Amino acid sequence: KAGVTQTPRYLIKTRGQQVTLSCSPISGHRSVSWYQQTPGQGLQFLFEYFSETQRNKGNFPGRFSGRQFSNSRSEMNVSTLELGDSALYLCASSWDRNTGELFFGEGSRLTVL
Amino acid sequence: DQQVKQNSPSLSVQEGRISILNCDYTNSMFDYFLWYKKYPAEGPTFLISISSIKDKNEDGRFTVFLNKSAKHLSLHIVPSQPGDSAVYFCAARKGAQKLVFGQGTRLTINP
């Protein structure tokens, strides 16, 4: 079955602009989590959605927002982009109760100039 | 508050030898610990996990050890192969809460 799909894979924006990233989870999965990866910082948790409701939220400013649709697809938005927002944004689909595993997509690489 | 820490940013090992990656955590309520492998420009790939009720889990060349009293876990890869060169992330969770990741360790396997 298809894995987690993220679009776009790569994008370049300038400071002050806004960006929207999309994630389609594995079919049947109802939970979507978003992470930001920057060099030396590992994966930082942004937020998690379950059945269109935000269930958990990380320590990011309000410029970072997200939502989930009835078909479980999720979007995250970053407004007023800053240079420090350049990162790989990863989406993950549900988790396996036997292993604790989250299923990750390949990520969207955002570069802010 | 870094609840999961990987204190070695990088590790270099000769092909065929054992690679040992370490991870420390501070939250004693974590009940699942995982290791992920990541290549550049790809998403993390799940490797192996261990429940807090166990102290060892093995899957082929990969073994994870958990020392709850020391709040420490390690990943052993034996024998190391060139394809194992990647960034390895340790992660932990409590119940259905978010997965908390360490900063990662870049493993390089030398021929």
Side-chain angles (χ1 to χ4, degrees):
Chain A
K1 69 185 175 184
V4 179
T5 304
Q6 291 188 244
T7 57
R9 290 292 313 279
Y10 302 91
L11 66 167
I12 299 173
K13 294 284 188 178
T14 57
R15 280 181 297 174
Q17 286 187 312
Q18 67 92 28
V19 66
T20 299
L21 309 176
S22 179
C23 171
S24 293
I26 294 170
S27 178
H29 286 195
R30 295 163 62 189
S31 166
V32 171
S33 301
W34 288 90
Y35 286 81
Q36 179 196 64
Q37 187 199 1
T38 53
Q41 294 296 316
L43 279 69
Q44 302 292 314
F45 175 76
L46 281 155
F47 25 67
E48 179 195 9
Y49 287 88
F50 179 82
S51 293
E52 302 179 66
T53 301
Q54 188 179 86
R55 187 157 69 174
N56 285 302
K57 189 176 188 305
N59 297 322
F60 278 81
R63 300 185 297 108
F64 292 81
S65 63
R67 59 178 175 169
Q68 186 180 33
F69 302 95
S70 58
N71 62 358
S72 293
R73 189 177 71 85
S74 176
E75 288 181 349
M76 68 162 282
N77 183 278
V78 188
S79 62
T80 320
L81 284 166
E82 301 176 358
L83 296 179
D85 297 332
S86 294
L88 181 67
Y89 290 88
L90 292 158
C91 168
S93 173
S94 284
W95 59 284
D96 186 310
R97 290 185 182 276
N98 292 320
T99 65
E101 173 189 3
L102 270 181
F103 302 89
F104 281 90
E106 294 191 318
S108 293
R109 168 73 64 185
L110 169 65
T111 301
V112 182
L113 302 177
Chain B
D1 177 23
Q2 192 72 32
Q3 296 187 70
V4 178
K5 291 184 181 180
Q6 294 175 257
N7 293 315
S8 297
S10 63
L11 176 67
S12 186
V13 174
Q14 195 168 5
E15 182 180 356
R17 304 294 289 269
I18 182 171
S19 294
I20 300 176
L21 296 103
N22 294 301
C23 178
D24 297 300
Y25 62 95
T26 58
N27 189 343
S28 58
M29 300 302 290
F30 285 140
D31 49 19
Y32 260 111
F33 302 88
L34 299 84
W35 285 94
Y36 278 84
K37 175 180 179 179
K38 188 179 181 301
Y39 295 117
E42 293 184 12
T45 304
F46 171 74
L47 268 178
I48 190 169
S49 67
I50 187 168
S51 161
S52 61
I53 63 173
K54 297 185 176 182
D55 53 21
K56 177 182 175 182
N57 189 25
E58 195 171 352
D59 184 3
R61 296 186 299 114
F62 303 93
T63 303
V64 57
F65 295 93
L66 176 62
N67 183 334
K68 288 186 288 293
S69 60
K71 294 191 178 67
H72 177 84
L73 68 156
S74 60
L75 173 68
H76 292 209
I77 306 174
V78 184
S80 300
Q81 300 174 353
D84 295 331
S85 294
V87 177
Y88 288 78
F89 289 98
C90 166
R93 72 154 77 238
K94 172 192 167 188
Q97 294 185 10
K98 66 182 182 183
L99 199 56
V100 180
F101 285 84
Q103 305 96 313
T105 296
R106 181 177 300 279
L107 175 64
T108 303
I109 306 301
N110 302 306

